[in-house]
Amino acid sequence: MWSYNNTLRYFIEFSYNGKNYFGYQIQPDAISVQEELEKALSTILREEIKTTGAGRTDTGVHAKKIFAHFDTEKELNDELPRRLNSFLPPDISIKRIFKVKDDFHARFDATFRTYEYYISLEKNPFTQESAWQHWKRPLDIDKMNEACKILFEYEDFTSFAKLKTDNKTNICKMYIAKWEQDGAELKFTVSANRFLRNMVRAIVGTMVEIGTGKLKPEDMRKVIEDKNRNAAGTSAPAHGLYLVDVGYEF
C-alpha cells in the first residue's frame, strides 16, 4: 500500500457534524473531531499520527469543508480516504488526502475562512438541530445588512472575542458579510482572513438584536469601538454555524 521515504506532509479535506463533539481540537476528558481523526489515522498507518487543523471550531459547530495536515514517512495511495471513512464514525467524512510541500501549514497558510450561519424563520421540525429556530419575533433583514456594511470599517473585533483566550491579536480583515433570505431560511455568510473564538456567533447574536429592533444598525459601531465583549449581543446557538471553506494557495 505504501513505500518508505523521507517525512512527507499530507493535507486532509474533510467535513463533520459537530453535534456530538466538543469542537475540533483535542480536549481533556471530552470527545473531539481531532481525537477521532488521529485515532483512525494511527490505526491504519500503524504509527502515531498527530494532525494540525485549519482552526478549532466551538462545541457543536459543524464543518462542511475543513483541512488538516499530518506527517508520515509512508507514501500513501488513493485507497486511504475510503479506509479512513470505514474506521471513522458516520458524522465525520474524509473527502480527499493529498501531498503538499513539507512546510505547508493547515492553519498558518490559510488565506481566508468562510462561515455560514442558518436561521429558520418558521418553526421547522426538520431543522431543529441544524439552524437557530427564530420564529417568534420577525427580523428586519435590511437593517441587519446595514449593520454588515459597518463591519468592513473595522479590523479590531475584540468585542466579539471570547474572554480569556490565548489570542495574540484581535485584528481580522473582513472580506464578506451578508444576510440572504430564501423562503423561511435566513443565511449569514461571513469571510475573513482569520476569526477569533466565538466571533461569528457573537456577531450573529448582535445582528439578531438589530433585526428585532433592540439595537439600531448604527449601534454596531459603538459595539465594536467599545472593545468589550459585554457590549455585543449574546452568542447565537452553536448548531446553526458551519465552517464552509478554507482558502489556500497550493
Side-chain angles (χ1 to χ4, degrees), residues 13-17 54-57 61-67 95-96 110 112-118 130 176 178 180 185-192 195 200 238-248:
E13 180 187 338
F14 60 107
S15 60
Y16 57 84
N17 183 317
R56 51 187 180 190
T57 52
V61 173
H62 317 292
K64 292 183 179 181
K65 185 178 183 181
I66 187 171
F67 294 86
K95 303 299 183 185
R96 59 182 177 134
F112 70 83
R113 295 161 177 83
T114 302
Y115 285 88
E116 292 175 351
Y117 194 94
Y118 290 88
S130 59
I176 300 170
K178 62 180 180 180
E180 299 171 289
E185 182 179 77
L186 189 58
K187 180 178 74 173
F188 178 55
T189 304
V190 60
S191 186
F195 286 92
V200 179
H239 65 266
L241 181 59
Y242 299 76
L243 176 62
V244 298
D245 200 7
V246 185
Y248 297 96

Side-chain angles (χ1 to χ4, degrees), residues 9-76:
R9 176 156 294 183
Y10 288 89
F11 254 48
I12 314 172
E13 180 187 338
F14 60 107
S15 60
Y16 57 84
N17 183 317
K19 177 186 174 183
N20 296 320
Y21 301 99
F22 286 78
Y24 172 76
Q25 192 168 17
I26 286 180
Q27 307 282 335
D29 303 318
I31 188 170
S32 68
V33 176
Q34 184 179 18
E35 179 184 351
E36 293 292 331
L37 186 59
E38 291 181 357
K39 185 167 59 177
L41 279 166
S42 298
T43 300
I44 292 174
L45 299 182
R46 298 178 183 177
E47 63 177 299
E48 185 178 8
I49 298 293
K50 297 296 183 184
T51 64
T52 299
R56 51 187 180 190
T57 52
D58 291 336
T59 299
V61 173
H62 317 292
K64 292 183 179 181
K65 185 178 183 181
I66 187 171
F67 294 86
H69 76 250
F70 69 94
D71 296 330
T72 178
E73 291 184 346
K74 297 182 173 80
E75 187 80 38
L76 307 180

Side-chain angles (χ1 to χ4, degrees), residues 25-27 55-58 107-108 158 161-171 194-198:
Q25 192 168 17
I26 286 180
Q27 307 282 335
R56 51 187 180 190
T57 52
D58 291 336
R107 179 181 175 190
F108 298 130
T158 300
K162 189 170 185 176
L163 300 174
K164 298 180 181 178
T165 65
D166 56 0
N167 288 329
K168 294 180 180 178
T169 175
N170 290 333
I171 302 299
R194 62 190 293 267
F195 286 92
L196 311 173
R197 289 193 67 187
N198 199 57

Side-chain angles (χ1 to χ4, degrees), residues 49-226:
I49 298 293
K50 297 296 183 184
T51 64
T52 299
R56 51 187 180 190
T57 52
D58 291 336
T59 299
V61 173
H62 317 292
K64 292 183 179 181
K65 185 178 183 181
I66 187 171
F67 294 86
H69 76 250
F70 69 94
D71 296 330
T72 178
E73 291 184 346
K74 297 182 173 80
E75 187 80 38
L76 307 180
N77 68 21
D78 295 339
E79 282 293 299
L80 185 55
R82 183 185 62 81
R83 295 194 67 194
L84 268 176
N85 279 325
S86 297
F87 269 79
L88 288 164
D91 48 15
I92 303 175
S93 174
I94 306 299
K95 303 299 183 185
R96 59 182 177 134
I97 298 175
F98 53 97
K99 196 185 299 181
V100 294
K101 293 184 297 182
D102 59 9
D103 62 346
F104 206 75
H105 200 282
R107 179 181 175 190
F108 298 130
D109 285 323
T111 57
F112 70 83
R113 295 161 177 83
T114 302
Y115 285 88
E116 292 175 351
Y117 194 94
Y118 290 88
I119 294 178
S120 180
L121 301 176
E122 66 179 11
K123 188 176 182 181
N124 186 338
F126 302 107
T127 61
Q128 295 293 317
E129 297 180 347
S130 59
W132 183 4
Q133 305 292 302
H134 197 288
W135 48 269
K136 293 183 179 180
R137 297 184 65 186
L139 295 172
D140 190 321
I141 313 305
D142 291 337
K143 288 183 178 179
M144 293 163 74
N145 271 320
E146 280 183 51
C148 282
K149 295 174 184 176
I150 294 171
L151 294 176
F152 297 103
E153 300 174 14
Y154 298 90
E155 293 190 349
D156 189 331
F157 292 98
T158 300
S159 290
F160 301 119
K162 189 170 185 176
L163 300 174
K164 298 180 181 178
T165 65
D166 56 0
N167 288 329
K168 294 180 180 178
T169 175
N170 290 333
I171 302 299
C172 308
K173 179 66 175 176
M174 195 72 65
Y175 300 136
I176 300 170
K178 62 180 180 180
W179 289 92
E180 299 171 289
Q181 184 174 351
D182 182 9
E185 182 179 77
L186 189 58
K187 180 178 74 173
F188 178 55
T189 304
V190 60
S191 186
N193 66 328
R194 62 190 293 267
F195 286 92
L196 311 173
R197 289 193 67 187
N198 199 57
M199 179 174 166
V200 179
R201 292 168 58 200
I203 289 175
V204 171
T206 306
M207 291 279 187
V208 165
E209 292 193 1
I210 290 169
T212 58
K214 184 176 180 179
L215 296 175
K216 297 182 176 64
E218 56 268 26
D219 289 337
M220 182 63 82
R221 287 192 182 88
K222 184 179 186 307
V223 168
I224 297 173
E225 290 172 5
D226 274 358

